[in-house]
Amino acid sequence: MFYAISACLAGENCKYSGGNNRNEAIVSLCESRPCVLICPERTGGLKTPRAPAEIIGGTGEDVLAGQAKVMDSEGRDRTEAFMKGALLSLAQVWEAAGDETEICAVLKAKSPSCGSGLIYDGTFSGTKIPGNGVTAALFKREGIRVLTEEEFVPPVD
Ligand code: SF4
């Protein structure tokens, strides 16, 4: 199994605030299994720190379909950066995985890029709705299993 991991979960300071979401189980996973760290927002060209962003008018699938946007809290349209980051991150995972066809992504819950199953609703009020972030939606569409750090159970062998 090859793992694609949200870099902020592994302790990289790429979170919008400039900090990280270090998770010890994820750090252990990175130390013991083949993996690649991804940060779609950084890869898409956004700086850290940056204003938080949310999907407006839909979910990550809708953004991929051109039917919803990603806006930051200061009113800037970040859709292009999120799309670019998702596509480049997918390419990064495929390249790093090489011949390994079993890929599992463990991505940060509720992020407009990495969130899986639940995201914020675009009102910057903390309200959550069912849906995926842009990168998580793309990965799922491409057949990659996506888990949040909350769903992840460390492998035993
Ligand atoms: Fe980067 Fe995803 Fe973490 Fe956001 S949630 S900082 S896009 S890795």
Side-chain angles (χ1 to χ4, degrees), residues 3-9 26 36-40 93 104-111 113-116 133-137 139-140 144-152:
Y3 291 91
I5 309 288
S6 287
C8 59
L9 291 175
I26 302 298
V36 63
L37 301 182
I38 61 166
C39 177
V93 172
C104 177
V106 185
L107 303 182
K108 177 72 186 79
K110 300 186 275 288
S111 154
S113 290
C114 294
S116 173
V134 180
T135 296
F139 280 21
K140 288 184 179 186
I144 296 174
R145 184 177 180 218
V146 179
L147 302 173
T148 69
E149 76 278 17
E150 295 157 358
E151 296 166 325
F152 169 70

Side-chain angles (χ1 to χ4, degrees), residues 52-64:
E54 295 191 6
I55 297 172
I56 310 289
T59 64
E61 284 83 356
D62 298 318
V63 175
L64 293 175

Side-chain angles (χ1 to χ4, degrees), residues 31-114:
E31 289 170 350
S32 61
R33 306 284 163 150
C35 72
V36 63
L37 301 182
I38 61 166
C39 177
E41 293 174 28
R42 184 173 61 187
T43 300
L46 298 175
K47 303 261 188 298
T48 305
R50 55 189 173 275
E54 295 191 6
I55 297 172
I56 310 289
T59 64
E61 284 83 356
D62 298 318
V63 175
L64 293 175
Q67 293 168 352
K69 290 182 175 182
V70 183
M71 305 289 291
D72 74 16
S73 60
E74 295 171 2
R76 287 175 294 230
D77 188 336
R78 296 303 198 191
T79 309
E80 194 178 331
F82 273 64
M83 286 289 292
K84 181 180 174 187
L87 291 165
L88 289 176
S89 294
L90 179 64
Q92 194 182 351
V93 172
W94 275 337
E95 183 178 353
D99 294 335
E100 178 60 78
T101 54
E102 281 193 59
I103 301 173
C104 177
V106 185
L107 303 182
K108 177 72 186 79
K110 300 186 275 288
S111 154
S113 290
C114 294

